[in-house]
Amino acid sequence: MKRIVFSILFIIPFLAGCEKEDSQDLQLLHIREVAWNSLSSQQRASVISDWNKALVSETRYEDKTAYSVTFHTKDDALLGPIIVYVDATTYVVLGYGLRM
């Protein structure tokens, strides 16, 4: 009986944590997808890594809370990566980072 109670007490927090991680993963995927869909076909063709794994970071863009999505490209050494800024509440693209 103690073993069953211990098992239940161990499993429930684990499952609750997985649910939170899944919703966060879905949110990050949505942010990446919004950013990816805003790129031109030429920009997409230059991306060298999987867009589903692009780096997403919280930031500020023109005094708004936003996410920056960084796509690494074959031109990173010359121009830098493509950075797309997505509004944190509306998930609308706010702008793009300057590439040199």
Side-chain angles (χ1 to χ4, degrees):
M1 182 68 172
K2 287 182 181 181
R3 194 175 257 178
I4 293 173
V5 172
F6 177 74
S7 296
I8 291 172
L9 291 175
F10 176 74
I11 292 173
I12 290 174
F14 177 74
L15 293 176
C18 290
E19 190 173 306
K20 183 178 178 183
E21 286 178 20
D22 289 344
S23 74
Q24 185 178 11
D25 288 346
L26 287 174
Q27 179 187 20
L28 292 175
L29 181 61
H30 180 66
I31 294 164
R32 288 180 183 110
E33 186 174 20
V34 167
W36 177 254
N37 289 335
S38 75
L39 300 181
S40 70
S41 58
Q42 184 178 9
Q43 288 172 315
R44 288 182 188 182
S46 71
V47 173
I48 58 173
S49 57
D50 184 5
W51 69 268
N52 289 308
K53 294 181 171 59
L55 176 66
V56 178
S57 303
E58 279 193 50
T59 190
R60 304 278 302 163
Y61 184 85
E62 295 182 358
D63 296 328
K64 292 184 178 185
T65 303
Y67 294 103
S68 65
V69 183
T70 303
F71 297 103
H72 291 286
T73 71
K74 59 186 175 186
D75 301 318
D76 278 7
L78 182 63
L79 302 173
I82 297 172
I83 301 173
V84 182
Y85 295 97
V86 178
D87 187 280
T89 55
T90 63
Y91 299 110
V92 173
V93 173
L94 298 172
Y96 301 88
L98 181 63
R99 295 181 82 192
M100 300 291 183

